[in-house]
């Protein structure tokens, strides 16, 4: 089954304790990205990657890191989490090809993070 | 001002009603327009997409784009309780970056 998986689905942590949220896709997609979703603000892009070893900042990259060592994996790293990073996080992937495929962005199930 | 504005709702309608969901935007360079549906505790899934102006129909769903007014709509005919979800509009210019609206929560009452 074609899918994007994220782990963990729920995480409660304390300020300053480094954490990693994993993301993996099995569709051989080149493009992967991370979003955070907050009430009233919608989905905002944190980082994206257009291929292995190619990453770039989105709209809200402060406090986050990513890496793309393999095509299928795109982990999100919070080196020193703070309470304002409490949010719902989504990983997404899509192919970079024909016009239709450019719009077919597949989302993971989400990770709800609480930082106290 | 946000690039994409969307009424958060909630919008509550009886089963069988016609639902109209809307977004306005400010960037005239946007040319690809999408609607995503997000059920509770799930990731968004693509529902409809339209290139430039015009209408597109898919079953009970119709997407409309009016670029002159910078206004897009999603119509749902014969709404069902299973349509209850948050609907997100999204759009982009010639780049790969999608800009999302904040979502409208829809509740269809049986």
């Amino acid at each position: 089954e074609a899918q994007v998986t994220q782990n963990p689905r729920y995480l409660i942590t304390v300020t300053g304790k480094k954490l990693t949220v994993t993301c993996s896709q099995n569709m051989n997609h080149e493009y992967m990205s991370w979003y955070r979703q907050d009430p009233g603000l919608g989905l905002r892009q944190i980082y994206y990657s257009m291929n292995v070893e190619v990453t770039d900042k989105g709209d809200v990259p402060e406090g986050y890191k990513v890496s793309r060592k393999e095509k299928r994996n795109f982990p999100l790293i919070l080196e020193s989490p703070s309470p304002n990073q409490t949010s719902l996080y989504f990983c997404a992937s899509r192919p970079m090809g024909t016009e239709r495929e450019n719009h077919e962005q597949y989302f993971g199930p989400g990770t709800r993070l609480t930082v106290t | 001002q946000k690039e994409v504005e969307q009424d958060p709702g909630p919008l509550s309608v009886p089963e069988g009603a016609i639902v109209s969901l809307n977004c306005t935007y400010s960037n005239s360079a946007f040319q690809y327009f999408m609607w995503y549906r997000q059920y509770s505790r799930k990731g968004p899934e693509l529902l409809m997409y339209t290139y430039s102006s015009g209408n597109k129909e898919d079953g009970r769903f119709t997407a409309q784009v009016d670029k002159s007014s910078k206004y897009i709509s999603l119509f749902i005919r014969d709404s069902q309780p299973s349509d209850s979800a948050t609907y997100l509009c999204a759009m982009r210019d010639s780049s790969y970056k999608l800009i999302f609206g904040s979502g409208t929560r829809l509740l269809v009452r049986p």
Side-chain angles (χ1 to χ4, degrees):
Chain A
E1 180 191 353
Q3 60 182 349
V4 179
T5 57
Q6 293 178 229
N7 281 292
R9 294 288 313 279
Y10 302 91
L11 180 60
I12 301 174
T13 190
V14 296
T15 299
K17 185 176 182 182
K18 181 180 178 179
L19 65 93
T20 299
V21 184
T22 64
C23 172
S24 184
Q25 51 94 3
N26 61 2
M27 295 166 282
N28 203 37
H29 288 167
E30 294 87 359
Y31 187 99
M32 296 185 75
S33 57
W34 276 102
Y35 295 86
R36 59 179 290 174
Q37 187 175 36
D38 302 288
L41 297 177
L43 283 160
R44 294 180 293 167
Q45 192 179 56
I46 303 170
Y47 267 95
Y48 66 95
S49 168
M50 297 180 85
N51 216 324
V52 175
E53 302 292 1
V54 180
T55 64
D56 211 343
K57 296 176 181 178
D59 296 315
V60 287
E62 293 78 21
Y64 304 95
K65 285 175 58 177
V66 292
S67 70
R68 188 90 182 272
K69 292 184 169 49
E70 304 165 284
K71 198 172 187 179
R72 62 183 294 129
N73 296 323
F74 191 45
L76 179 70
I77 302 154
L78 284 71
E79 294 270 2
S80 183
S82 61
N84 65 11
Q85 292 178 297
T86 293
S87 187
L88 180 57
Y89 291 87
F90 288 101
C91 180
S93 75
R94 69 172 181 234
M96 290 168 57
T98 66
E99 210 46 64
R100 162 66 181 168
E101 289 171 332
N102 279 344
H103 309 310
E104 188 63 74
Q105 185 154 249
Y106 294 82
F107 283 85
T111 295
R112 185 165 291 283
L113 172 66
T114 302
V115 183
T116 61
Chain B
Q1 184 190 4
K2 293 181 186 176
E3 276 191 287
V4 179
E5 298 276 1
Q6 187 175 7
D7 189 323
L11 180 61
S12 180
V13 301
E15 182 174 354
I18 296 174
V19 175
S20 172
L21 303 166
N22 311 293
C23 287
T24 58
Y25 63 95
S26 57
N27 187 346
S28 58
F30 288 148
Q31 50 187 311
Y32 301 95
F33 304 92
M34 286 133 274
W35 286 95
Y36 282 79
R37 179 175 60 194
Q38 184 177 18
Y39 290 115
S40 182
R41 296 188 179 84
K42 301 279 189 181
E45 56 180 346
L46 182 67
L47 195 59
M48 300 277 291
Y49 83 97
T50 313
Y51 170 68
S52 194
S53 285
N55 293 1
K56 185 168 184 177
E57 191 172 317
D58 184 0
R60 297 185 295 110
F61 298 89
T62 300
Q64 278 187 359
V65 174
D66 182 348
K67 290 190 72 179
S68 61
S69 301
K70 297 190 180 68
Y71 188 88
I72 70 171
S73 301
L74 177 70
F75 297 96
I76 307 174
R77 291 184 298 282
D78 187 26
S79 56
Q80 304 295 309
S82 58
D83 295 328
S84 297
T86 296
Y87 291 80
L88 302 150
C89 63
M91 49 198 78
R92 69 171 178 91
D93 53 23
S94 56
S95 72
Y96 288 102
K97 182 179 176 181
L98 283 178
I99 308 296
F100 286 86
S102 54
T104 299
R105 192 155 65 92
L106 171 67
L107 175 63
V108 181
R109 308 185 306 271

